Amino acid sequence: MANDVKNSDLIELITKTTPQRKKSRWPAKLDDLQSLTGLILVIFLMFHLIFDSLIIFGNDAMYKITKLMELDFIIEGGSGVPVTIMGVTVLVIIAIHAALGIRKMPTSYRKYKAINTLSKTMNHLDSRLWILQVITGFVLFFTVTVHTYMMLSNPTDIGPYASADRFFSENMWIFYIVLLVAVVLHAFIGLYRVSIKRGWFGLSNTTNSKTRTFDKKVSVAKRNNLKKIRNYLIAFYLIIGLVSIAVYTYKGYEHRDNVGERYNPSSAHLKNI
Amino acid sequence: MSREITISVFKFDPRDKASKPEFVDYKMQEDPGMSLFIALNKIRETLDDDLSFDFVCRAGICGSCAMIVNGKPTLACKTLTSQFKDGHIKLMPMPSFELIKDLSVNTGKWMDGMSKRVESWIHSSKEMDYTKLEDKVEPDVAQEVFELDRCIECGICVAGCGTKAVNENFVGAVGLNRVARFQIDPNDERTDADFYELVGDDDGIFGCMSLMGCEDNCPKDLPLQNRIAYMRNKLIQVGKQK
């Protein structure tokens, strides 16, 4: 019923302004929120992938971090609840970030054709990387949602054997390769872009200290540094991620006859980690 | 010995119903120090008197000759044919602007609309008294204003903008640069909240996706990324107010 709708909303529908004839503050809030949620997710991902990769150093290292996430230092034997809470929180942040990201996607043939042709003809890497971000963002709609749901619904199925079984016996290694490549590219290209957008990492000051005016060389140098950091981060996380997937899959292959069994290290052994 | 170069030019007259958009190749001998301005004039004088293109100053000041040269938006008068080692040069009019004919686009109409949209003039309640000296402005601030005033409105930042490609109503870096110019000018009494009313939406500052096609192609090396980020942060703060 129309009566349920606030007058201010009805006024905005007609005039595209608030009753005070001002522009809505929402676009500013949404822009800020998109940057903020993206940043939180990148930081989360950086820790997440590092923790995952501990499998490279052996089952015990991965087991220890798993139990730490399950708060075994507070709860006897650990609990899946903290992992579920973390999963739900991350999923909510992802949903907000994705909803905000959709606003920027080219949503018609004409728009997609225009950005694609323009970035190709200019051979402009930053523009082309944005298209890659759209594509990886689209892939993540499906993959990251499935992954996060799997984790929050079965929080105790994380561990050296349980994870390895998932990679090999449940054939998830292909899924994880797609997810890893998409999320690493999306995250670090996104971090680079938001730094430009908000003038982070020194990009807000590109003044030549001698002439006290803007210096293109300073700007280019700072952006090149940022590009290098972006590329190093992508390379580092892709390498540790792919090696981790290989290790998990191999361990899953070795453990194929005992699917369902959980890893149980000896306490004496753990002390040596 | 001079080499033969091929200049492939987009030709189309939207007002002529019989005209079909196409690329026409013109071959010619390259002269020493030949700019695209000279090459295009040579084509018009010797090969095709129907070819349309815009030039005024021939010195990178007026911005009239902006076009897409081998994929990149740039000023044709500042571009030498010798820059292209394989001798093939492809010329296109800038997208995003109304096509007049061939390489000629109506940037003036677009810039006029942009100027009105961002109210590109000093807003002051003071009565101007021309018999008195103007109020003093700190040299550093004046320098900053002059720096942004170097924009020649060539339209290259608009043509190279990925955001503009997907959002027809985007105000463009030239518009945001203009807002930043008045924001730092102490003669202008507008507040950040006033500027928010002009560009505080997804067609304005929050639409910019930071693809950097503007700064990377700007022939005047303007600090576009830096100033857009500056305005964005200012207007995000306005968004936090009621």
Side-chain angles (χ1 to χ4, degrees), chain A residues 23-25 29 31 104 111 121-122 124 126 130 193 196-198 204 206 212 214 216 219 223, chain B residues 71-72 140 143 160 166 196-197 201 206 209-212 215-216 221 223 225-226 232-233 239:
Chain A
K23 267 202 165 103
S24 167
R25 295 321 192 215
K29 292 187 207 311
D31 192 63
K104 308 284 181 185
K111 288 176 180 180
T121 190
M122 288 198 303
H124 185 244
D126 277 36
W130 182 78
R193 196 172 306 287
I196 288 173
K197 198 181 265 189
R198 303 298 290 269
S204 59
T206 48
R212 292 188 301 184
F214 169 76
K216 183 81 177 256
S219 174
R223 215 166 112 221
Chain B
K72 292 186 196 303
D140 280 359
Q143 186 58 45
V166 294
Y196 189 96
E197 293 307 311
D201 55 28
F206 305 122
M209 300 190 295
S210 308
L211 272 63
M212 299 298 288
E215 185 171 303
D216 288 348
D221 287 344
Q225 172 275 323
N226 179 295
R232 188 176 217 126
N233 290 333

Side-chain angles (χ1 to χ4, degrees), chain A residues 29-43 89-105 130 133-134 136-138 140-141 144-145 182-183 185-191 193-194 197 200:
Chain A
K29 292 187 207 311
L30 298 180
D31 192 63
D32 200 19
L33 199 58
Q34 189 178 2
S35 305
L36 192 68
T37 49
L39 186 65
I40 292 169
L41 291 170
V42 172
I43 293 168
T89 310
V90 169
L91 199 57
V92 168
I93 298 173
I94 288 169
I96 296 169
H97 186 73
L100 295 168
I102 289 171
R103 298 175 309 148
K104 308 284 181 185
M105 283 188 167
W130 182 78
Q133 233 182 332
V134 171
T136 51
F138 192 75
L140 290 171
F141 280 141
V144 88
T145 317
V183 81
L185 289 174
H186 192 87
F188 295 115
I189 295 171
L191 184 64
R193 196 172 306 287
V194 76
K197 198 181 265 189
W200 293 345

Side-chain angles (χ1 to χ4, degrees), chain B residues 114-139:
Chain B
M114 177 278 296
S115 290
K116 287 172 182 155
R117 182 170 164 188
V118 303
E119 299 184 8
S120 178
W121 54 87
I122 295 280
H123 287 50
S124 174
S125 56
K126 288 179 196 159
E127 197 68 37
M128 191 68 190
D129 183 351
Y130 294 100
T131 63
K132 289 182 181 163
L133 282 174
E134 288 177 12
D135 289 342
K136 284 181 183 170
V137 176
E138 285 298 319

